[in-house]
Amino acid sequence: MGSRILEGLNPGQARAVKTTEGYVRVLAGPGTGKTLALTARCAYLITMLGISPRSVLCVTFTNKAAAEMRSRIQALCGGRVEPFVATFHGFCAQFLREEAKHLGFPANFALADVEEVKEMLKPIYRTLNINGRDLSLQDEWNYIDLVKSTRLSYVHELLSEDSGDLLREAQTQDDPKDRIFYAYLYAQRSTATLDFDDLIAFTLEILHTNKEVRDKWQSRLEYILVDEFQDIDKLQYELTEILAGGHHNLFIVGDPDQTIYSFRGADVKLFTDFPQLHQGCAQIAFEENYRSQGAILDCAYTLISNNPDPGRVHLKARRTDISEKNFAQILPPLKKVPRESEVLDAVRVIAQQGKLGLEVPQKDDSGERALLTPLPAVVHSGSEILEAEYIAREIGLIRQKAGHASVAVLYRAHHVSREVERALLRRRIPYRIMSGTGFFSRAEVRDVMAYVRLCLNPADDRALRRVINEPRRGFGARRLEKLARRAREKGCSLYEALKDSFDDQALLRGTTVRLFAETLQSLHAYIAKLKPTAALEQVLNAFGYEEYLKDSGQKERLESLATLRSLAKDFETSAGESTSAADFVTDLALYQSADLNAPRDAVRLMTVHNSKGLEFDYVFVAGVNEKLFPSAKSETEGELEEERRLMYVAMTRAAVQLFITTSMAFGQSDQENTRKPSRFIEELDPSQIAEMGGSFARRGLVSGGSGAAQFKPGDRVFHEIFGPGTVKEVRQSAGEYVIDFPALKSPRTLSFQAPLERLDGQGSAVSVDCGSVQ
């Protein structure tokens, strides 16, 4: 059994499995087989050492990862073993089912996710007369999350003997965020509901205050294994240390270069300082990557090397099954957006002939030719639309070449996906949104299209059922069922039954549904004659749906309405003068069908954060522009280092081929909103990438022509006018140095482009290329 568990492990992985006692830290970069080692170690403890499965706790960060690990461990153990694998929240939920009674809280508590918390907040907003325009639900949840993760004393307030104290506290607060916070605690107390923050806070409260319970769990858990340790926060670290305090067998796996959750409180020092805090800690490094071909690893290493880390390992590629036949041609970027008819012609060619024809020109008008190379591609397009069209076109080529290969489009912020979605929709390329809900599955999109359908055809019962009480009109499920019975008895539509019930006070009292029906009737008279954009505006205004979203604080849902308007405008432009709202509804129905029935090999669209732990054959990292990636909110060196780690994570998701794309403007020909490629592109080695659309990064267009910093704080430099000086500060986001020149009375702020030379130890100037325009 033991040889089967160790079979296929390299020496580093085998050592990680067999070093069972004490504190162990494993440095495991992307694709190095950490999950294999973790599951093998857990199986080794259970089968070879005979440890009870309930005494080995394996902690990971997602339910999906936990399920996968549990399945692998069971397969390795070869029997009916129930390994103890959980997320931090999952463990705490199980703990509290047993121990919540020690806080006087019911063990059968309800557990609310983020969306359910927002539903709990909505009536609180109404009761406190707080407008969602002034404070969105998401902003309030962020505040609640912050308070609960930094002020654990709230547990005592939530559990106070007199729950009325919470309501009185809410009434005395000046800040509306605090009024809502205490009203929310009261709602939790009244309904015995916990959210995810409460799980760890309540667990720690019990472990800190009840020695009997603490001793019980420390005795039970003889071995603890923690995955993705670089992403744990201080509370999770505290929980881990307490649980391991009995047997001191704690095994952690992580990679400082993949720390991307600092905004959630993750502290990479908890991983890097672990050996210093635990005497005799064994340290193991995995150096072999089994995911990506070498060119991707080399390029990613060049990027991440701009972050300080003396212990970083340059991973060795061990894939032997990737060759030239796996690479898709890297096409030149588009110069103009194809007409809808051209796209449909190309789709038809793909479907009927199995080749791309005119859809894939091998050379553009600048003379750039398609390339076939393992090097990561960096492609600069003229606008967001052209960038998205390029990605969709290249994916079409990949799908023809590689069949069912996995393809992903990653981005720093959700809004980058809008144009990519539209480009994929135009080409009928199936896709799925993995970080969030697919466009046509979003409630707001389904609501608005139901309104349009209903105005075109009031007999559409399915559409009426969806929107008759959205926004709320006092016409709930019971009244709707009564209306449905009346419609069945009369053999008519719900709308007709509703009109016939205008005099039924029992049915309509306290509702505004009559106004809804009258508005519907007035729009039905002429909406069929309107173009799609005008029809949408009429519906949104007449039924107050957009105002409802604004008032309820659901700002993120308003973005979907903007995308829907764009789709309507695109359809209107492409279909010509004769198009109507009915044509648009029909076309979207076809799109929606393709979206909802996307095959398993559909293109995956997700944020980089959501791609953590995943891998794909072909990866596109979109929107790699300044102010987007890195984020405009990243100003300090620490924040920029985190953004660089995020880019590293994105790059290392790719196994076969990597594409990095930028857009040079917000619109197709919008010269006033010109964008700059990300500084991360300038940090790449030109010999390690294939660049298309011009070498913008090396023409001084990054950070206003600044490029990357050539000096760091403390460096001695020479300026031909100011003389010698010392770098005091580096402002990477602004592309500036703050330098103290003894010849001047105060420091000077100079751009990265300033004519500076490095001074060696003897005071001699050493020439440095500061990234001047070439």
Side-chain angles (χ1 to χ4, degrees):
M1 178 67 72
S3 61
R4 188 166 69 86
I5 291 174
L6 297 174
E7 185 178 346
L9 300 181
N10 64 38
Q13 293 168 338
R15 183 185 168 204
V17 170
K18 294 191 290 185
T19 307
T20 61
E21 305 306 303
Y23 293 97
V24 183
R25 190 195 76 163
V26 175
L27 174 64
T32 55
K34 69 179 179 63
T35 302
L36 175 64
L38 268 168
T39 54
R41 178 184 175 87
C42 190
Y44 188 86
L45 290 169
I46 293 170
T47 58
M48 296 305 295
L49 273 62
I51 305 298
S52 170
R54 68 190 296 270
S55 297
V56 182
L57 171 62
C58 190
V59 183
T60 186
F61 269 78
T62 68
N63 290 320
K64 181 180 179 181
E68 180 184 349
M69 291 176 66
R70 191 178 299 111
S71 176
R72 287 196 189 188
I73 293 167
Q74 289 174 325
L76 285 172
C77 291
R80 301 180 65 179
V81 171
E82 290 296 330
F84 194 176
V85 184
T87 63
F88 276 104
H89 291 119
F91 168 79
C92 291
Q94 180 173 333
F95 176 92
L96 290 173
R97 296 297 180 194
E98 291 188 39
E99 314 294 357
K101 59 191 177 188
H102 296 289
L103 293 178
F105 207 79
N108 62 340
F109 58 85
L111 183 59
D113 62 20
V114 176
E115 291 306 314
E116 290 167 327
V117 169
K118 289 180 181 179
E119 289 301 315
M120 292 176 67
L121 291 176
K122 288 179 182 179
I124 294 174
Y125 271 61
R126 292 193 291 269
T127 301
L128 297 178
N129 197 28
I130 294 175
N131 195 312
R133 294 176 189 245
D134 303 322
L135 179 63
S136 74
L137 292 173
Q138 185 60 48
D139 288 340
E140 177 60 27
W141 165 245
N142 290 341
Y143 180 72
I144 292 171
D145 183 45
L146 175 66
V147 172
K148 287 190 172 185
S149 60
T150 56
R151 198 184 78 200
L152 291 185
S153 59
Y154 88 87
V155 173
H156 300 283
E157 296 176 291
L158 177 55
L159 298 173
S160 61
E161 292 186 10
D162 183 359
S163 61
D165 289 344
L166 295 170
L167 286 181
R168 288 185 285 272
E169 194 69 34
Q171 294 166 358
T172 62
Q173 299 299 316
D174 294 327
D175 191 326
K177 293 195 295 291
D178 288 318
R179 293 205 300 275
I180 296 172
F181 174 74
Y182 282 103
Y184 170 63
L185 292 188
Y186 177 79
Q188 284 191 271
R189 176 74 176 272
S190 303
T191 58
T193 299
L194 299 182
D195 59 38
F196 287 111
D197 285 325
D198 301 323
L199 294 176
I200 290 182
F202 275 45
T203 298
L204 284 173
E205 177 68 18
I206 294 172
L207 290 173
H208 281 309
T209 59
N210 193 307
K211 184 178 185 301
E212 182 180 350
V213 174
R214 183 171 65 251
D215 289 345
K216 165 187 167 183
W217 283 88
Q218 286 181 338
S219 176
R220 178 189 296 185
L221 299 177
E222 299 176 10
Y223 295 87
I224 298 176
L225 295 69
V226 184
D227 191 13
E228 304 285 7
F229 200 83
Q230 79 281 346
D231 284 330
I232 71 169
D233 59 33
K234 289 181 172 60
L235 295 183
Q236 292 164 338
Y237 178 80
E238 185 179 353
L239 174 61
T240 303
E241 287 288 331
I242 292 174
L243 294 176
H247 298 278
H248 304 285
N249 290 322
L250 178 56
F251 175 91
I252 69 169
V253 183
D255 178 14
D257 286 335
Q258 296 188 78
T259 302
I260 59 174
Y261 291 111
S262 294
F263 67 94
R264 292 183 186 170
D267 185 352
V268 69
K269 289 186 177 180
L270 298 175
F271 180 85
T272 57
D273 295 350
F274 191 84
Q276 288 72 47
L277 298 173
H278 300 85
Q279 188 175 5
C281 174
Q283 299 186 60
I284 303 169
F286 292 173
E287 300 182 359
E288 297 175 283
N289 177 285
Y290 298 92
R291 173 189 299 159
S292 307
Q293 50 102 344
I296 294 173
L297 293 180
D298 291 341
C299 190
Y301 182 80
T302 297
L303 173 82
I304 200 61
S305 294
N306 287 277
N307 277 4
D309 181 3
R312 179 175 294 114
V313 174
H314 192 160
L315 300 177
K316 304 178 182 68
R318 289 292 182 254
R319 288 289 298 267
T320 59
D321 59 335
I322 299 175
S323 64
E324 181 178 305
K325 65 181 176 59
N326 300 111
F327 302 130
Q329 283 190 319
I330 302 170
L331 304 172
L334 291 162
K335 299 301 181 183
K336 65 180 182 68
V337 179
R339 295 191 307 274
E340 184 78 9
S341 59
E342 292 176 339
V343 174
L344 293 177
D345 286 344
V347 171
R348 197 173 297 114
V349 169
I350 292 172
Q352 295 178 357
Q353 300 179 14
K355 57 184 179 181
L356 297 177
L358 296 177
E359 171 67 355
V360 188
Q362 300 303 303
K363 185 173 73 171
D364 69 0
D365 55 18
S366 70
E368 286 191 310
R369 292 181 175 276
L371 300 175
L372 189 64
T373 172
L375 297 179
V378 175
V379 182
H380 306 283
S381 295
S383 71
E384 279 185 313
I385 297 174
L386 289 170
E387 178 186 11
E389 288 292 337
Y390 176 84
I391 291 171
R393 184 178 63 154
E394 190 73 52
I395 289 174
L397 181 61
I398 290 169
R399 289 173 65 83
Q400 286 299 304
K401 182 181 184 66
H404 297 293
S406 56
V407 181
V409 182
L410 312 181
Y411 34 82
R412 177 64 180 86
H414 283 288
H415 67 82
V416 175
S417 71
R418 292 180 199 157
E419 292 296 344
V420 176
E421 278 194 79
R422 289 164 61 185
L424 293 174
L425 285 169
R426 279 192 285 267
R427 282 172 168 74
R428 285 6 184 218
I429 295 176
Y431 71 91
R432 286 200 183 281
I433 297 283
M434 306 304 292
S435 48
T437 306
F439 180 73
F440 292 114
S441 297
R442 295 169 196 168
E444 59 273 21
V445 174
R446 295 169 74 86
D447 287 347
V448 173
M449 294 314 299
Y451 269 118
V452 176
R453 283 167 37 210
L454 192 59
C455 289
L456 290 167
N457 175 21
D460 188 335
D461 284 355
R462 191 158 53 94
L464 188 139
R465 281 181 177 276
R466 181 172 186 89
V467 300
I468 193 170
N469 204 40
E470 187 72 22
R472 290 187 178 181
R473 300 185 177 90
F475 204 81
R478 289 185 180 179
R479 296 193 189 202
L480 181 58
E481 185 51 40
K482 183 177 180 180
L483 181 66
R485 284 199 302 271
R486 188 167 298 177
R488 287 194 296 270
E489 291 168 359
K490 294 187 174 185
C492 64
S493 68
L494 291 174
Y495 171 67
E496 290 296 332
L498 181 59
K499 286 199 302 180
D500 290 344
S501 304
F502 280 174
D503 296 330
D504 187 341
Q505 291 299 312
L507 180 66
L508 302 186
R509 185 184 297 112
T511 77
T512 58
V513 77
R514 178 166 183 164
L515 176 61
F516 161 78
E518 291 172 344
T519 304
L520 172 57
Q521 185 173 9
S522 65
L523 282 178
H524 174 60
Y526 68 93
I527 194 171
K529 302 176 183 178
L530 297 179
K531 291 186 179 297
T533 52
L536 276 180
E537 294 307 319
Q538 287 287 338
V539 164
L540 292 172
N541 292 330
F543 293 102
Y545 189 81
E546 188 166 23
E547 291 300 306
Y548 154 67
L549 292 185
K550 291 178 180 177
D551 289 341
S552 62
Q554 302 177 79
K555 293 180 180 178
E556 63 276 11
R557 296 178 67 183
L558 292 171
E559 296 179 1
S560 297
L561 301 191
T563 299
L564 194 57
R565 284 184 169 107
S566 296
L567 281 174
K569 183 64 176 176
D570 285 349
F571 179 78
E572 206 171 283
T573 301
S574 62
E577 290 295 322
S578 61
T579 186
S580 67
D583 295 330
F584 179 58
V585 169
T586 300
D587 197 64
L588 279 195
L590 296 174
Y591 279 168
Q592 183 176 358
S593 176
D595 179 43
L596 295 177
N597 298 291
R600 294 182 64 183
D601 62 340
V603 178
R604 265 48 179 176
L605 274 60
M606 68 188 77
T607 63
V608 181
H609 281 101
N610 283 84
S611 74
K612 182 76 176 294
L614 303 178
E615 61 182 73
F616 306 92
D617 297 317
Y618 301 86
V619 168
F620 293 79
V621 189
V624 187
N625 290 80
E626 282 295 297
K627 309 302 183 183
L628 285 177
F629 204 171
S631 165
K633 298 178 181 178
S634 302
E635 297 179 352
T636 67
E637 281 299 310
E639 290 168 336
L640 286 167
E641 288 173 6
E642 174 114 344
E643 291 289 306
R644 190 175 288 110
R645 291 194 293 267
L646 196 59
M647 184 67 184
Y648 176 73
V649 167
M651 296 171 70
T652 54
R653 298 311 92 195
V656 177
Q657 205 162 8
L658 171 66
F659 296 81
I660 299 170
T661 66
T662 76
S663 60
M664 301 308 293
F666 288 100
Q668 186 176 350
S669 58
D670 190 348
Q671 298 304 315
E672 295 181 0
N673 291 316
T674 300
R675 283 179 170 164
K676 303 174 182 67
S678 169
R679 71 196 65 201
F680 297 152
I681 292 177
E682 187 172 80
E683 292 174 356
L684 301 178
D685 184 337
S687 68
Q688 293 179 332
I689 60 175
E691 200 162 14
M692 286 284 200
S695 301
F696 293 104
R698 278 171 287 287
R699 292 179 187 173
L701 293 178
V702 179
S703 301
S706 61
Q710 302 295 319
F711 305 105
K712 62 183 184 299
D715 282 354
R716 295 273 294 151
V717 296
F718 181 81
H719 188 281
E720 59 183 9
I721 304 297
F722 301 142
T726 302
V727 178
K728 295 297 184 184
E729 185 181 351
V730 178
R731 297 171 178 168
Q732 183 69 55
S733 61
E736 299 170 345
Y737 301 113
V738 178
I739 302 177
D740 187 10
F741 293 99
L744 304 176
K745 293 182 179 180
S746 60
R748 292 292 184 267
T749 302
L750 304 182
S751 75
F752 289 173
Q753 288 294 105
L756 295 171
E757 295 180 276
R758 189 187 306 277
L759 287 176
D760 62 19
Q762 288 72 43
S764 302
V766 179
S767 178
V768 173
D769 177 6
C770 291
S772 58
V773 178
Q774 297 178 0

